[in-house]
């Protein structure tokens, strides 16, 4: 059956097309805001989950304060005591110039014992260094500078005279944003090469502890704090001790917070839209008091009057929400492309579910704002309604 | 036909509580109407004519007293049942026609039957009724504001008849029409009454009241003759 009350609502919306349209535009904007912000948050989280989750097992000890502070050999030995069976990786790090053919650029140079390197840096190609003139490079340098296994690269500055040619023996797998060590665009040399080339001896820039069992991490962190920082107040601690798992969680919490905040702003937009729909519906009721009186006097039940007004709110809400949802796919894609800079996850369920969620929230908002006006209309006294002009 | 009481009022009061004291709009009205009667209600302005008609049309319920419409005691029914009784037993004809502006003439006539049957009318009854009051199929496609007053009142009569009501209630049915059109409408009502329809009509025009079998005069909420 083509519901007569639906017909009446459609005709009323058509008569007051402009104001119904304006109310629907409010809903469109609200749905776009909520859905595209939800998608942005979801895409960010999906991206980070993939990029970060691989190394949630590492504790990092770094010296605090000025650039020339370091972790001494003695401290490394004490850390080893606390770490027990877990692998302790002392790391040298600095920026330096590298050259390949005629190309020159800056990159991080790390010095790590090759035995330890094996434990946490998997290769996609080649082998771990067999001598001190062998280095590993990050996968990012392969795509960026076209360096391969067997390529000869120069480390250091030719003008200062301190420059050495080394051979790339292996390519480190892409690791993304990792807390322990950025390797995608780095050169990983042996410990001995680094000590010789930069005249270093046992003053490390960072020490990583790779936990065999992530459950032990909190206890190890507590013990390291006691040992290295002697439980000092945070501002005069000598070392920063972090673990990648809790950093990951902090970041994810922050993103969650940011996207709920932005979605809350979307919700405010929707609230404004709800008020405008409420307004339109109240206007519709007030203008049609007499018509409601007629409808009631010739046998229309209260519930049917309510239906008529709720249809009207639903019509506005559904058209606004559906248009909003379609546009939010476009807007969402733009926001994700601009903010997250990675659209691989856009079509995933976690991301696209914000589109139907937006429709439902938008529609629910409209129906909720239509309830009171509909109730008002249905409870008008038929005699008084008929008498009104 | 006669002898079957379609309307029965016993000592009906309608009291409006106002800030400066109560207004007694109906002050102990008793009345019975037989099936097939044509009754005119007259009286000065403010005497309670509209209030009485609203009680008969079950748009309102009495403050006290008994009111039976086709045997149903209106004080015992909830709003939904009152509405359905109104839909099925009563046809309303108003002074201001009161057609629904967004519906065409045809849809206005069809509307009460959709309320009753919950589906569109496919019997052609709406067109038949429109034809019988002199509205062509072509005219029936127009909305009320495209029709003259007389045409609107004809559509309203067709609408009032669509659910085959027991009682036709008319509140000044010729009040907004010129005298020639008014007489045509009265002829129509007379014809309906001749074919057995019970009619209760409010008017302040004694020429119009002459069409009725019986005239009741109200003053200050009482029947005075
Ligand atoms: N809703 C109302 N509230 C208060 N007083 C009312 C109301 N409706 C009618 N009255 C009063 O009841 C009396 C009868 O009114 P009404 O039935 O409209 O008279 P009539 O139709 O004969 O002119 C009048 O005094 C009027 O002021
Ligand atoms: Mg009156």
């Amino acid at each position: 059956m083509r519901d007569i009350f639906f017909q009446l609502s459609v005709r009323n919306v058509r008569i007051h097309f402009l104001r119904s349209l304006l109310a629907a535009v409010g809903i469109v904007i609200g749905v776009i805001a909520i859905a595209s912000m939800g998608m942005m948050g979801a895409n960010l989280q999906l991206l980070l989950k993939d990029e970060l989750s691989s190394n949630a097992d590492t504790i990092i000890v770094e010296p605090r304060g000025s650039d020339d502070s370091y972790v001494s050999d003695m401290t490394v030995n004490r850390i080893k005591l606390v770490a027990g069976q877990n692998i302790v990786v002392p790391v040298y790090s600095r920026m330096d110039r590298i050259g390949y053919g005629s190309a020159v650029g800056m990159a991080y140079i790390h010095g790590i014992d090759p035995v330890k390197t094996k434990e946490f840096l998997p290769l996609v190609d080649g082998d771990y260094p067999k001598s001190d003139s062998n280095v590993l490079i990050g996968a990012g340098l392969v795509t960026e500078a076209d360096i391969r296994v067997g390529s000869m690269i120069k480390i250091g500055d030719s003008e200062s005279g301190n420059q050495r040619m080394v051979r790339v023996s292996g390519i480190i797998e892409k690791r993304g944003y990792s807390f322990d060590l950025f390797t995608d665009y780095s050169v990983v040399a042996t410990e001995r090469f680094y000590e010789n080339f930069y005249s270093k001896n046992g003053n490390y820039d960072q020490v990583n502890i790779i936990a065999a069992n992530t459950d032990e991490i909190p206890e190890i962190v507590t013990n390291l704090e006691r040992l290295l920082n002697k439980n000092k107040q945070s501002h005069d601690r000598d070392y920063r001790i972090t673990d990648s798992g809790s950093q990951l969680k902090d970041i994810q919490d922050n993103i969650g917070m940011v996207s709920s905040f932005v979605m809350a702003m979307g919700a405010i937009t929707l609230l404004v839209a709800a008020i405008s729909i409420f307004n339109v519906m109240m206007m519709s009721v007030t203008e049609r008091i007499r018509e409601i009186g007629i409808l009631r006097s010739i046998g229309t039940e209260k519930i049917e009057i309510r239906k008529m007004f709720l249809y009207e709110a639903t019509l506005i809400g559904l058209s606004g929400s559906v248009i909003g949802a379609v546009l939010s796919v476009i807007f969402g894609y733009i926001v994700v492309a601009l903010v997250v800079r990675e659209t691989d996850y856009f079509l995933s369920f976690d991301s696209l579910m914000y589109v139907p969620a937006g429709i439902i929230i938008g529609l629910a908002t409209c129906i909720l704002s239509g309830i009171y006006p509909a109730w008002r209309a249905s409870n008008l006294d038929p005699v008084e309604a008929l008498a009104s002009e | 036909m006669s002898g079957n009481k379609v309307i029965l009022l016993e000592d009906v009061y309608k009291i409006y509580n106002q800030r400066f004291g109560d207004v007694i709009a109906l002050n102990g009205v008793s009345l019975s109407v037989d099936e097939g009667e044509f009754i005119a209600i007259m009286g000065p302005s403010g005497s309670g004519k509209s209030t009485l008609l609203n009680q008969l049309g079950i748009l309102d319920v009495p403050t006290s007293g008994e009111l039976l419409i086709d045997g149903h005691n209106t004080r015992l029914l909830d709003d939904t049942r009152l509405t359905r009784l109104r839909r099925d037993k009563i046809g309303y004809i108003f002074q201001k026609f009161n057609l629904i502006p967004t519906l065409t003439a045809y849809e206005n006539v069809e509307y009460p039957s959709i309320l009753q049957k919950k589906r569109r009318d496919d019997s052609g009854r709406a067109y038949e009724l429109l034809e019988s009051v002199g509205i062509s199929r072509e005219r029936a496609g127009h909305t009320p504001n495209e029709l003259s007053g007389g045409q609107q009142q004809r559509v309203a009569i067709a609408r009032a008849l669509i659910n085959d009501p027991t009682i036709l209630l008319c509140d000044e049915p010729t009040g907004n029409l010129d005298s020639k059109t008014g007489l045509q409408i009265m002829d129509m009502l007379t014809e309906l009454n001749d074919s057995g329809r019970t009619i209760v009509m409010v008017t302040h025009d004694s020429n119009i009241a002459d069409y009725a079998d019986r005239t009741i005069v109200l003053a200050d909420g009482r029947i005075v003759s």
Side-chain angles (χ1 to χ4, degrees), chain A residues 178-235:
Chain A
S178 45
F179 298 104
D180 53 350
L181 211 58
F182 290 96
T183 56
D184 287 352
Y185 296 91
S186 306
V187 174
V188 177
T190 66
E191 196 176 52
R192 262 206 314 264
F193 169 87
Y194 194 102
E195 285 172 349
N196 286 335
F197 189 60
Y198 296 114
S199 315
K200 273 269 195 176
N201 195 3
N203 290 335
Y204 297 99
D205 297 286
Q206 175 182 338
V207 178
N208 294 350
I209 300 136
I210 302 165
N213 179 356
T214 48
D215 294 342
E216 286 176 16
I217 289 178
E219 198 194 327
I220 299 173
V221 170
T222 313
N223 289 338
L224 285 173
E225 285 288 354
R226 194 179 314 131
L227 176 77
L228 301 175
N229 288 331
K230 308 195 167 56
N231 292 333
K232 285 180 191 168
Q233 291 298 306
S234 57
H235 56 272

Side-chain angles (χ1 to χ4, degrees), chain B residues 104-115:
Chain B
T104 63
Y106 173 80
E107 288 168 331
N108 263 285
V109 176
E110 187 193 22
Y111 178 83
S113 101
I114 296 176
L115 288 183

Side-chain angles (χ1 to χ4, degrees), chain A residues 381 383-384, chain B residues 14-18 23-26 41-54 60 171-172 202 218 220-221:
Chain A
D381 177 30
V383 175
E384 283 174 30
Chain B
K14 182 71 196 181
I15 299 166
Y16 294 105
N17 300 309
Q18 298 292 80
V23 177
I24 304 171
L26 294 178
I41 299 171
M42 294 193 72
S45 182
S47 59
K49 304 183 295 291
S50 297
T51 306
L52 177 58
L53 205 69
N54 289 338
D60 202 358
D171 194 352
E172 309 259 13
V202 165
L218 281 179
D220 292 332

